[in-house]
């Protein structure tokens, strides 16, 4: 099993910055993609940003130029730097990782428990 623990959520004013972090632990042989998703009240969970083990990234159009995803492969961590945040960024943010326990096993998706981000003045 793999556990993901997020940290860094909270209340931030519009135009401000916030940094989310996620650490993966447990039976990990390798991790392929790590990413951040979010879910606002009454809406479906959506992709915010994802980063592959080689460093390639992909962002939702709504956060391009404002958010930056990064990872430390040695520490199995992923971070999301959120700049110039907007009220519409308010949501529960979830960390996701595609990991496998050994060379012969398949990659499986794992989720963190979520961390609340509220953008309000």
């Amino acid at each position: 099993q793999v556990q993901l623990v997020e940290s860094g959520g909270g209340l931030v004013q519009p135009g401000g910055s916030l940094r989310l972090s996620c650490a993966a632990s447990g039976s990990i042989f390798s991790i392929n993609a790590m990413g951040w998703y979010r879910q606002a009240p009454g809406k479906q969970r959506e992709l915010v940003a994802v980063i592959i083990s080689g460093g390639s990234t992909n962002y939702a159009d709504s956060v391009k130029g404002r958010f930056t995803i990064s990872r430390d492969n040695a520490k199995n961590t992923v971070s999301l730097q959120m700049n110039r945040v907007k009220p519409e960024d308010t949501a529960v943010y979830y960390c996701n990782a595609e990991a496998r326990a050994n060379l012969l096993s398949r990659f499986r998706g794992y989720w963190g428990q979520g961390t609340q981000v509220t953008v309000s003045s």
Side-chain angles (χ1 to χ4, degrees):
Q1 279 287 3
V2 176
Q3 296 79 41
L4 301 178
V5 178
E6 302 113 332
S7 61
L11 175 65
V12 59
Q13 293 186 344
S17 297
L18 201 63
R19 186 176 181 86
L20 305 182
S21 296
C22 173
S25 62
S27 300
I28 300 172
F29 175 76
S30 63
I31 299 178
N32 183 20
M34 299 188 80
W36 290 93
Y37 291 72
R38 67 186 180 187
Q39 187 167 19
K43 294 187 177 181
Q44 290 188 335
R45 190 173 298 188
E46 63 176 3
L47 172 71
V48 176
V50 63
I51 183 168
I52 310 302
S53 58
S56 298
T57 59
N58 190 34
Y59 295 90
D61 288 343
S62 59
V63 306
K64 282 182 180 177
R66 300 188 298 121
F67 293 7
T68 302
I69 189 170
S70 60
R71 67 187 282 179
D72 185 327
N73 291 330
K75 297 181 179 179
N76 291 330
T77 59
V78 62
S79 297
L80 184 70
Q81 179 65 41
M82 306 167 61
N83 296 329
R84 304 195 307 278
V85 296
K86 304 175 181 179
E88 50 263 45
D89 294 322
T90 295
V92 177
Y93 284 69
Y94 295 91
C95 177
N96 175 271
E98 294 179 354
R100 57 178 175 175
N102 56 67
L103 184 61
L104 299 180
S105 62
R106 295 181 178 180
F107 283 98
R108 291 182 55 192
Y110 297 90
W111 293 95
Q113 80 284 357
T115 185
Q116 177 70 46
V117 172
T118 302
V119 182
S120 175
S121 56

